Amino acid sequence: MSDSVDDATTVDDATRRARYWPVPVLRAVPAAVVALVITFSSNHAAGYGLLLFGGFAVVEGLVLAVGSRRLPGDARSRRTSLAQAAVTVVAGVAALALNGFGLPAFITVVVVFALLTGALELTQGLRARGRSPFARDWTTVGGITLLLAVAFLITPPDYSKQLGGIDNATGTLDASIILVGLLGAYLAITAVFHVIAGLSHKWGTADAVATPDGAPHA
């Protein structure tokens, strides 16, 4: 009897993976694009960071909203995903609207986004443990997002240091450069994680079409 339950659970998980795996992959796209732009751009001003974050957040929120429809039978996770999508889109619109308000606006918008969405996704993952094959993914991304908030909060907004030293580099390293770089690092890490998670779920869908003895699944 227990073997039958385990087999049914495996097939059910594989079916859910088959429906949901494109969502993390699509979440990786805006994160990867903005991470690359930050990496190869010499402009790390707070206003530019707001523009890039705003574009990322709006697209990410839309992906989450559409992706929540791929969570049938899990009403709680679906509601949490929709709440996360709403917060993300609002944060993105706020970032674009506050583009001219500099570093204070950049810090505020990113910290509020990271605290709210990180807490939502972390809670979603913790609640889904033992029920959903995506629980660990949500928990991990939620934790990473909360760390982004911590990193922004502990970086002094008035930090400024003249470059120099043995490399004779010129210029100033300030809070804006550091924080935009931290945002890029966060987006790069989550993009890689989303791709790995999405493809892992895709490769795990074979159980949805074959029973343990190899016979086709009706």
Side-chain angles (χ1 to χ4, degrees), residues 3-215:
D3 289 343
S4 298
V5 173
D6 290 342
D7 293 345
T9 301
T10 300
V11 172
D12 181 58
D13 280 354
T15 302
R16 285 187 286 177
R17 291 173 190 267
R19 286 182 59 87
Y20 193 75
W21 73 263
V23 177
V25 173
L26 289 174
R27 289 182 69 181
V29 175
V33 169
V34 174
L36 286 172
V37 172
I38 291 174
T39 299
F40 293 104
S41 173
S42 59
N43 184 357
H44 279 50
Y48 190 54
L50 279 165
L51 284 177
L52 293 177
F53 173 78
F56 152 76
V58 169
V59 177
E60 164 89 346
L62 294 176
V63 170
L64 285 169
V66 174
S68 67
R69 302 177 63 183
R70 291 179 169 266
L71 291 168
D74 191 350
R76 177 179 287 180
S77 292
R78 186 173 182 176
R79 288 194 299 269
T80 305
S81 289
L82 285 173
Q84 184 181 344
V87 171
T88 304
V89 170
V90 170
V93 172
L96 296 174
L98 297 173
N99 173 250
F101 288 83
L103 188 60
F106 181 51
I107 294 174
T108 301
V109 170
V110 174
V111 168
V112 171
F113 156 81
L115 286 175
L116 293 180
T117 63
L120 283 169
E121 193 154 12
L122 177 62
T123 301
Q124 180 180 13
L126 293 175
R127 286 177 174 174
R129 284 185 302 179
R131 299 188 297 106
S132 172
F134 316 113
R136 184 163 55 182
D137 300 345
W138 293 331
T139 302
T140 302
V141 176
I144 295 172
T145 304
L146 288 174
L147 287 177
L148 174 67
V150 173
F152 265 62
L153 287 172
I154 65 175
T155 301
D158 58 351
Y159 179 86
S160 179
K161 182 179 180 180
Q162 223 30 59
L163 298 177
I166 59 175
D167 294 329
N168 292 319
T170 59
T172 302
L173 177 65
D174 59 17
S176 177
I177 295 174
I178 294 172
L179 292 175
V180 173
L182 284 173
L183 175 63
Y186 161 78
L187 294 175
I189 292 169
T190 54
V192 172
F193 182 85
H194 283 317
V195 169
I196 293 173
L199 293 180
S200 296
H201 291 308
K202 182 180 188 298
W203 296 329
T205 60
D207 291 336
V209 295
T211 57
D213 61 3

